[in-house]
Amino acid sequence: ETGVTQSPTHLIKTRGQQVTLRCSSQSGHNTVSWYQQALGQGPQFIFQYYREEENGRGNFPPRFSGLQFPNYSSELNVNALELDDSALYLCASSAGQRQETQYFGPGTRLLVL
Amino acid sequence: DQQVKQNSPSLSVQEGRISILNCDYTNSMFDYFLWYKKYPAEGPTFLISISSIKDKNEDGRFTVFLNKSAKHLSLHIVPSQPGDSAVYFCAAISQIQGAQKLVFGQGTRLTINP
């Protein structure tokens, strides 16, 4: 059984560009949540996907969007990158929507110049 | 609006002694709390949790205490070991639309000194 994996591990982009981050959920998990962790802060909830539908969104602008695929893997897309988007992006998967038993991936560190 | 706060950015403890990490919350609707541990280059890993119907939960060297009237919880690690050196996050489960989300504190970096 593999855990949650994310790609790429690191990424450098410039302001205005677009980025796609990927997450493979743990086997048997149908729910994926995405979090943004800025330097020195705790992770902040971006949104959650359950059975390919977005079913909850945090306080992030529409230029943050996502997808979940039939195999429950997920993508996070960020358009029109801003300097403040520089952060560690974490995805977490769980079996069902309850958050007590979710597992986090190692994250993708994004730097926007 | 920081609903979960960890006011100590760092804590240094001698090996073998007790480590106490603190967390405060403001939202009285929170009814389930978790502690996560994070090493560099890894995602947070679940450590221990507590429901609001309890005031204590213990798992080996780790004990979490919840004081609902004070909206305060703490994580006790005893005895502390070098491998406990990590960043610890306190989190609460919150309902948002059709989903549950975790609301995290800022984290406390724990260093265990030999």
Side-chain angles (χ1 to χ4, degrees):
Chain A
E1 180 180 288
T2 56
V4 180
T5 60
Q6 293 185 243
S7 62
T9 55
H10 295 83
L11 203 50
I12 299 175
K13 291 284 189 179
T14 56
R15 262 186 317 177
Q17 285 189 311
Q18 178 266 343
V19 70
T20 298
L21 311 181
R22 294 178 175 82
C23 171
S24 290
S25 57
Q26 185 156 317
S27 176
H29 287 186
N30 56 12
T31 302
V32 173
S33 302
W34 285 92
Y35 289 82
Q36 180 197 66
Q37 186 184 1
L39 202 60
Q41 301 296 316
Q44 289 205 7
F45 178 78
I46 304 175
F47 43 55
Q48 183 182 92
Y49 278 82
Y50 173 63
R51 293 185 176 178
E52 303 178 56
E53 296 284 333
E54 182 184 298
N55 73 332
R57 188 179 184 92
N59 190 25
F60 281 80
R63 58 190 186 83
F64 285 77
S65 63
L67 282 174
Q68 188 179 31
F69 299 99
N71 67 354
Y72 303 127
S73 65
S74 178
E75 284 182 355
L76 164 65
N77 299 292
V78 187
N79 292 323
L81 283 166
E82 300 178 0
L83 298 180
D84 284 349
D85 296 333
S86 296
L88 179 69
Y89 289 85
L90 296 161
C91 85
S93 74
S94 58
Q97 296 167 275
R98 293 191 63 82
Q99 297 297 290
E100 297 96 326
T101 54
Q102 66 177 333
Y103 296 86
F104 282 86
T108 293
R109 187 162 295 282
L110 172 65
L111 177 61
V112 181
L113 301 175
Chain B
D1 177 23
Q2 190 72 31
Q3 296 186 73
V4 177
K5 297 182 184 180
Q6 294 175 257
N7 291 318
S8 298
S10 62
L11 177 66
S12 188
V13 173
Q14 195 167 2
E15 182 180 358
R17 307 294 281 264
I18 184 170
S19 295
I20 300 176
L21 295 97
N22 293 303
C23 177
D24 297 296
Y25 62 96
T26 57
N27 189 336
S28 57
M29 297 297 290
F30 289 156
D31 61 5
Y32 201 92
F33 303 89
L34 307 91
W35 284 92
Y36 284 85
K37 175 175 160 178
K38 187 178 185 302
Y39 293 120
E42 294 183 14
T45 55
F46 170 74
L47 201 53
I48 193 168
S49 62
I50 188 165
S51 164
S52 61
I53 62 173
K54 296 186 175 182
D55 54 19
K56 176 182 172 181
N57 188 27
E58 195 171 351
D59 183 3
R61 297 186 298 115
F62 303 92
T63 303
V64 55
F65 295 93
L66 175 61
N67 182 335
K68 281 189 296 183
S69 60
K71 294 192 181 69
H72 177 84
L73 60 157
S74 61
L75 174 68
H76 292 211
I77 306 173
V78 56
S80 301
Q81 299 175 352
D84 296 329
S85 295
V87 177
Y88 289 77
F89 291 99
C90 164
I93 290 181
S94 175
Q95 198 73 30
I96 179 167
Q97 296 142 22
Q100 285 188 340
K101 68 171 183 177
L102 293 173
V103 180
F104 284 89
Q106 306 95 311
T108 296
R109 181 176 301 278
L110 175 64
T111 303
I112 306 301
N113 301 308

